Amino acid sequence: MIQEMVEQVQIIRQKMRAAQDRQKSYADAKRSDISFEVGEKLRRYLSDPSHILSHDVVEVDEQLTYIETPKEILDRKVRKTRHGETALVKMLWTNHKAEEATWETEAAMRESYPHLFT
């Protein structure tokens, strides 16, 4: 019985050594210097005016905030519910693209921005 126990301890020690060796080789691989290959794919950058991005100027106040105002109405629709109908308008806001337009109630927009409905 003691002999079996000694053999099992030896097997466990061998497995622990193998695991430690794998761990060391993994750590050594992680520590090795990373080499970068500069191939023919890299070229010197040539300045091109078409690469310049344009941006919109946003005026901000002392608190670094700005007021959103609608530019135009892009679309209209009527939403029907159980309690009635609601007229909606798709508003394009300043400093935003058409993809960022939002649906607002027509009544609220008419009250706040009547000049857009003439």
Side-chain angles (χ1 to χ4, degrees):
M1 189 169 165
I2 293 176
Q3 182 63 27
E4 285 180 31
M5 200 62 106
V6 169
E7 289 174 0
Q8 288 180 356
V9 168
Q10 287 176 349
I11 291 171
I12 291 171
R13 285 183 180 166
Q14 289 173 354
K15 289 183 178 181
M16 287 179 64
R17 273 192 224 116
Q20 288 173 346
D21 289 344
R22 281 194 301 270
Q23 190 176 18
K24 283 182 185 177
S25 65
Y26 178 75
D28 291 343
K30 290 295 257 183
R31 279 192 214 115
S32 67
D33 293 326
I34 299 172
S35 62
F36 294 101
E37 294 182 19
V38 179
E40 297 175 4
K41 294 181 180 179
L42 296 178
R43 292 180 283 141
R44 181 180 207 132
Y45 176 73
L46 300 174
S47 180
D48 185 355
S50 69
H51 294 171
I52 298 172
L53 301 176
S54 63
H55 61 87
D56 297 329
V57 177
V58 178
E59 295 182 22
V60 294
D61 60 9
E62 296 82 28
Q63 287 82 28
L64 298 178
T65 59
Y66 67 96
I67 298 172
E68 289 283 346
T69 55
K71 275 200 249 182
E72 64 178 295
I73 298 171
L74 298 178
D75 197 8
R76 295 173 188 265
K77 72 178 178 180
V78 176
R79 176 179 286 157
K80 295 180 182 180
T81 63
R82 290 183 195 166
H83 306 292
E85 297 178 346
T86 305
L88 299 172
V89 289
K90 190 170 188 178
M91 302 300 295
L92 176 63
W93 299 89
T94 54
N95 304 317
H96 290 281
K97 298 175 185 167
E99 299 86 35
E100 299 170 332
T102 60
W103 287 99
E104 308 291 338
T105 59
E106 185 174 338
M109 293 294 108
R110 227 178 245 285
E111 184 179 317
S112 300
Y113 308 100
H115 63 280
L116 292 172
F117 294 90
T118 55

